PDB file of all heavy atoms in Angstrom:
ATOM      1  N   LEU J  53     -52.072  42.499  10.480  1.00 82.00           N
ATOM      2  CA  LEU J  53     -51.252  41.817   9.486  1.00 82.00           C
ATOM      3  C   LEU J  53     -51.498  40.328   9.637  1.00 82.00           C
ATOM      4  O   LEU J  53     -51.296  39.755  10.706  1.00 82.00           O
ATOM      5  CB  LEU J  53     -49.776  42.148   9.706  1.00 82.00           C
ATOM      6  CG  LEU J  53     -48.797  41.570   8.684  1.00 82.00           C
ATOM      7  CD1 LEU J  53     -49.030  42.213   7.314  1.00 82.00           C
ATOM      8  CD2 LEU J  53     -47.355  41.796   9.141  1.00 82.00           C
ATOM      9  N   ILE J  54     -51.964  39.701   8.562  1.00 84.00           N
ATOM     10  CA  ILE J  54     -52.337  38.288   8.600  1.00 84.00           C
ATOM     11  C   ILE J  54     -51.555  37.520   7.528  1.00 84.00           C
ATOM     12  O   ILE J  54     -51.567  37.918   6.346  1.00 84.00           O
ATOM     13  CB  ILE J  54     -53.856  38.118   8.332  1.00 84.00           C
ATOM     14  CG1 ILE J  54     -54.675  38.990   9.301  1.00 84.00           C
ATOM     15  CG2 ILE J  54     -54.262  36.657   8.444  1.00 84.00           C
ATOM     16  CD1 ILE J  54     -56.157  39.017   8.971  1.00 84.00           C
ATOM     17  N   ASP J  55     -50.873  36.484   7.948  1.00 87.00           N
ATOM     18  CA  ASP J  55     -50.191  35.575   7.011  1.00 87.00           C
ATOM     19  C   ASP J  55     -51.005  34.299   6.886  1.00 87.00           C
ATOM     20  O   ASP J  55     -51.278  33.643   7.900  1.00 87.00           O
ATOM     21  CB  ASP J  55     -48.788  35.244   7.497  1.00 87.00           C
ATOM     22  CG  ASP J  55     -47.824  36.404   7.333  1.00 87.00           C
ATOM     23  OD1 ASP J  55     -48.146  37.327   6.558  1.00 87.00           O
ATOM     24  OD2 ASP J  55     -46.758  36.394   7.963  1.00 87.00           O
ATOM     25  N   VAL J  56     -51.419  33.965   5.669  1.00 86.00           N
ATOM     26  CA  VAL J  56     -52.216  32.764   5.448  1.00 86.00           C
ATOM     27  C   VAL J  56     -51.525  31.879   4.421  1.00 86.00           C
ATOM     28  O   VAL J  56     -50.729  32.345   3.609  1.00 86.00           O
ATOM     29  CB  VAL J  56     -53.646  33.109   4.965  1.00 86.00           C
ATOM     30  CG1 VAL J  56     -54.380  33.930   6.003  1.00 86.00           C
ATOM     31  CG2 VAL J  56     -53.610  33.849   3.636  1.00 86.00           C
ATOM     32  N   LYS J  57     -51.861  30.599   4.465  1.00 87.00           N
ATOM     33  CA  LYS J  57     -51.315  29.637   3.517  1.00 87.00           C
ATOM     34  C   LYS J  57     -52.422  28.791   2.936  1.00 87.00           C
ATOM     35  O   LYS J  57     -53.266  28.239   3.686  1.00 87.00           O
ATOM     36  CB  LYS J  57     -50.265  28.749   4.192  1.00 87.00           C
ATOM     37  CG  LYS J  57     -49.555  27.799   3.235  1.00 87.00           C
ATOM     38  CD  LYS J  57     -48.424  27.054   3.941  1.00 87.00           C
ATOM     39  CE  LYS J  57     -47.688  26.168   2.959  1.00 87.00           C
ATOM     40  NZ  LYS J  57     -46.573  25.441   3.637  1.00 87.00           N
ATOM     41  N   GLN J  83     -50.506  40.609  -0.708  1.00 78.00           N
ATOM     42  CA  GLN J  83     -49.235  40.373  -1.374  1.00 78.00           C
ATOM     43  C   GLN J  83     -48.875  38.897  -1.258  1.00 78.00           C
ATOM     44  O   GLN J  83     -48.836  38.338  -0.157  1.00 78.00           O
ATOM     45  CB  GLN J  83     -48.137  41.233  -0.743  1.00 78.00           C
ATOM     46  CG  GLN J  83     -46.786  41.070  -1.395  1.00 78.00           C
ATOM     47  CD  GLN J  83     -45.727  41.936  -0.742  1.00 78.00           C
ATOM     48  OE1 GLN J  83     -46.024  42.770   0.113  1.00 78.00           O
ATOM     49  NE2 GLN J  83     -44.474  41.749  -1.113  1.00 78.00           N
ATOM     50  N   VAL J  85     -46.409  35.906  -1.058  1.00 77.00           N
ATOM     51  CA  VAL J  85     -45.054  35.773  -0.510  1.00 77.00           C
ATOM     52  C   VAL J  85     -44.585  34.338  -0.688  1.00 77.00           C
ATOM     53  O   VAL J  85     -45.378  33.425  -0.951  1.00 77.00           O
ATOM     54  CB  VAL J  85     -45.019  36.159   0.990  1.00 77.00           C
ATOM     55  CG1 VAL J  85     -45.363  37.609   1.170  1.00 77.00           C
ATOM     56  CG2 VAL J  85     -45.950  35.285   1.807  1.00 77.00           C
ATOM     57  N   GLU J  91     -48.598  31.132  -0.239  1.00 85.00           N
ATOM     58  CA  GLU J  91     -48.674  32.006   0.934  1.00 85.00           C
ATOM     59  C   GLU J  91     -49.103  33.409   0.543  1.00 85.00           C
ATOM     60  O   GLU J  91     -48.756  33.921  -0.515  1.00 85.00           O
ATOM     61  CB  GLU J  91     -47.318  32.059   1.635  1.00 85.00           C
ATOM     62  CG  GLU J  91     -46.851  30.699   2.144  1.00 85.00           C
ATOM     63  CD  GLU J  91     -45.463  30.763   2.737  1.00 85.00           C
ATOM     64  OE1 GLU J  91     -45.192  31.690   3.514  1.00 85.00           O
ATOM     65  OE2 GLU J  91     -44.641  29.887   2.409  1.00 85.00           O
ATOM     66  N   LEU J  92     -49.879  34.036   1.433  1.00 85.00           N
ATOM     67  CA  LEU J  92     -50.433  35.359   1.161  1.00 85.00           C
ATOM     68  C   LEU J  92     -50.341  36.210   2.433  1.00 85.00           C
ATOM     69  O   LEU J  92     -50.641  35.742   3.515  1.00 85.00           O
ATOM     70  CB  LEU J  92     -51.894  35.243   0.727  1.00 85.00           C
ATOM     71  CG  LEU J  92     -52.615  36.538   0.360  1.00 85.00           C
ATOM     72  CD1 LEU J  92     -52.034  37.137  -0.925  1.00 85.00           C
ATOM     73  CD2 LEU J  92     -54.111  36.259   0.167  1.00 85.00           C
ATOM     74  N   MET J  93     -49.896  37.459   2.259  1.00 83.00           N
ATOM     75  CA  MET J  93     -49.850  38.391   3.380  1.00 83.00           C
ATOM     76  C   MET J  93     -50.949  39.425   3.180  1.00 83.00           C
ATOM     77  O   MET J  93     -51.023  40.068   2.128  1.00 83.00           O
ATOM     78  CB  MET J  93     -48.485  39.090   3.458  1.00 83.00           C
ATOM     79  CG  MET J  93     -48.355  40.052   4.636  1.00 83.00           C
ATOM     80  SD  MET J  93     -46.682  40.742   4.811  1.00 83.00           S
ATOM     81  CE  MET J  93     -46.629  41.772   3.323  1.00 83.00           C
ATOM     82  N   ILE J  94     -51.806  39.575   4.185  1.00 82.00           N
ATOM     83  CA  ILE J  94     -52.933  40.530   4.127  1.00 82.00           C
ATOM     84  C   ILE J  94     -52.705  41.598   5.187  1.00 82.00           C
ATOM     85  O   ILE J  94     -52.549  41.297   6.372  1.00 82.00           O
ATOM     86  CB  ILE J  94     -54.283  39.808   4.400  1.00 82.00           C
ATOM     87  CG1 ILE J  94     -54.476  38.667   3.391  1.00 82.00           C
ATOM     88  CG2 ILE J  94     -55.429  40.796   4.327  1.00 82.00           C
ATOM     89  CD1 ILE J  94     -55.675  37.775   3.717  1.00 82.00           C
ATOM     90  N   ARG J  95     -52.702  42.836   4.745  1.00 81.00           N
ATOM     91  CA  ARG J  95     -52.610  43.959   5.679  1.00 81.00           C
ATOM     92  C   ARG J  95     -53.890  44.772   5.553  1.00 81.00           C
ATOM     93  O   ARG J  95     -54.246  45.218   4.457  1.00 81.00           O
ATOM     94  CB  ARG J  95     -51.401  44.845   5.391  1.00 81.00           C
ATOM     95  CG  ARG J  95     -51.152  45.851   6.505  1.00 81.00           C
ATOM     96  CD  ARG J  95     -49.805  46.516   6.382  1.00 81.00           C
ATOM     97  NE  ARG J  95     -49.762  47.500   5.327  1.00 81.00           N
ATOM     98  CZ  ARG J  95     -48.709  48.270   5.060  1.00 81.00           C
ATOM     99  NH1 ARG J  95     -47.601  48.107   5.763  1.00 81.00           N
ATOM    100  NH2 ARG J  95     -48.736  49.154   4.088  1.00 81.00           N
ATOM    101  N   THR J 122     -54.885  28.118   6.060  1.00 87.00           N
ATOM    102  CA  THR J 122     -54.441  28.074   7.458  1.00 87.00           C
ATOM    103  C   THR J 122     -53.859  29.450   7.799  1.00 87.00           C
ATOM    104  O   THR J 122     -53.149  30.055   6.990  1.00 87.00           O
ATOM    105  CB  THR J 122     -53.353  27.001   7.674  1.00 87.00           C
ATOM    106  OG1 THR J 122     -52.252  27.248   6.786  1.00 87.00           O
ATOM    107  CG2 THR J 122     -53.928  25.622   7.392  1.00 87.00           C
ATOM    108  N   PHE J 123     -54.139  29.927   8.997  1.00 85.00           N
ATOM    109  CA  PHE J 123     -53.688  31.246   9.420  1.00 85.00           C
ATOM    110  C   PHE J 123     -52.391  31.080  10.187  1.00 85.00           C
ATOM    111  O   PHE J 123     -52.382  30.628  11.348  1.00 85.00           O
ATOM    112  CB  PHE J 123     -54.765  31.924  10.258  1.00 85.00           C
ATOM    113  CG  PHE J 123     -55.951  32.364   9.430  1.00 85.00           C
ATOM    114  CD1 PHE J 123     -56.907  31.440   9.014  1.00 85.00           C
ATOM    115  CD2 PHE J 123     -56.109  33.688   9.063  1.00 85.00           C
ATOM    116  CE1 PHE J 123     -57.991  31.813   8.251  1.00 85.00           C
ATOM    117  CE2 PHE J 123     -57.178  34.090   8.284  1.00 85.00           C
ATOM    118  CZ  PHE J 123     -58.134  33.158   7.872  1.00 85.00           C
ATOM    119  N   GLU J 124     -51.279  31.440   9.533  1.00 84.00           N
ATOM    120  CA  GLU J 124     -49.957  31.241  10.103  1.00 84.00           C
ATOM    121  C   GLU J 124     -49.631  32.270  11.189  1.00 84.00           C
ATOM    122  O   GLU J 124     -49.002  31.951  12.190  1.00 84.00           O
ATOM    123  CB  GLU J 124     -48.895  31.344   8.993  1.00 84.00           C
ATOM    124  CG  GLU J 124     -49.115  30.398   7.810  1.00 84.00           C
ATOM    125  CD  GLU J 124     -48.805  28.963   8.170  1.00 84.00           C
ATOM    126  OE1 GLU J 124     -47.844  28.753   8.940  1.00 84.00           O
ATOM    127  OE2 GLU J 124     -49.515  28.053   7.703  1.00 84.00           O
ATOM    128  N   LYS J 125     -50.021  33.522  10.968  1.00 83.00           N
ATOM    129  CA  LYS J 125     -49.669  34.588  11.922  1.00 83.00           C
ATOM    130  C   LYS J 125     -50.693  35.714  11.825  1.00 83.00           C
ATOM    131  O   LYS J 125     -51.135  36.078  10.734  1.00 83.00           O
ATOM    132  CB  LYS J 125     -48.266  35.139  11.619  1.00 83.00           C
ATOM    133  CG  LYS J 125     -47.813  36.244  12.567  1.00 83.00           C
ATOM    134  CD  LYS J 125     -46.401  36.716  12.221  1.00 83.00           C
ATOM    135  CE  LYS J 125     -46.353  37.453  10.908  1.00 83.00           C
ATOM    136  NZ  LYS J 125     -45.022  38.062  10.647  1.00 83.00           N
ATOM    137  N   ILE J 126     -51.081  36.262  12.994  1.00 82.00           N
ATOM    138  CA  ILE J 126     -51.976  37.413  13.037  1.00 82.00           C
ATOM    139  C   ILE J 126     -51.388  38.430  14.008  1.00 82.00           C
ATOM    140  O   ILE J 126     -51.149  38.120  15.182  1.00 82.00           O
ATOM    141  CB  ILE J 126     -53.399  37.015  13.487  1.00 82.00           C
ATOM    142  CG1 ILE J 126     -54.024  36.010  12.525  1.00 82.00           C
ATOM    143  CG2 ILE J 126     -54.282  38.257  13.602  1.00 82.00           C
ATOM    144  CD1 ILE J 126     -55.381  35.491  12.977  1.00 82.00           C
ATOM    145  N   GLU J 127     -51.120  39.625  13.506  1.00 79.00           N
ATOM    146  CA  GLU J 127     -50.598  40.701  14.350  1.00 79.00           C
ATOM    147  C   GLU J 127     -51.566  41.881  14.289  1.00 79.00           C
ATOM    148  O   GLU J 127     -52.101  42.193  13.231  1.00 79.00           O
ATOM    149  CB  GLU J 127     -49.226  41.160  13.867  1.00 79.00           C
ATOM    150  CG  GLU J 127     -48.127  40.125  13.999  1.00 79.00           C
ATOM    151  CD  GLU J 127     -46.779  40.627  13.522  1.00 79.00           C
ATOM    152  OE1 GLU J 127     -46.701  41.811  13.129  1.00 79.00           O
ATOM    153  OE2 GLU J 127     -45.818  39.856  13.533  1.00 79.00           O
ATOM    154  N   ASP J 263     -40.288  38.341   3.479  1.00 68.00           N
ATOM    155  CA  ASP J 263     -40.826  39.707   3.615  1.00 68.00           C
ATOM    156  C   ASP J 263     -40.579  40.306   5.003  1.00 68.00           C
ATOM    157  O   ASP J 263     -40.438  41.517   5.129  1.00 68.00           O
ATOM    158  CB  ASP J 263     -42.332  39.688   3.337  1.00 68.00           C
ATOM    159  CG  ASP J 263     -42.624  39.401   1.878  1.00 68.00           C
ATOM    160  OD1 ASP J 263     -42.639  40.347   1.082  1.00 68.00           O
ATOM    161  OD2 ASP J 263     -42.799  38.229   1.528  1.00 68.00           O
ATOM    162  N   ALA J 264     -40.524  39.464   6.011  1.00 68.00           N
ATOM    163  CA  ALA J 264     -40.335  39.977   7.364  1.00 68.00           C
ATOM    164  C   ALA J 264     -38.981  40.675   7.540  1.00 68.00           C
ATOM    165  O   ALA J 264     -38.865  41.627   8.310  1.00 68.00           O
ATOM    166  CB  ALA J 264     -40.448  38.834   8.379  1.00 68.00           C
TER     167      ALA J 264
END
Side-chain angles (χ1 to χ4, degrees):
L53 184 66
I54 306 172
D55 286 343
V56 299
K57 185 174 183 179
Q83 181 181 352
V85 296
E91 299 176 45
L92 182 67
M93 182 174 68
I94 303 171
R95 191 167 75 177
T122 57
F123 288 77
E124 305 287 323
K125 180 179 69 173
I126 300 175
E127 295 180 2
D263 291 274

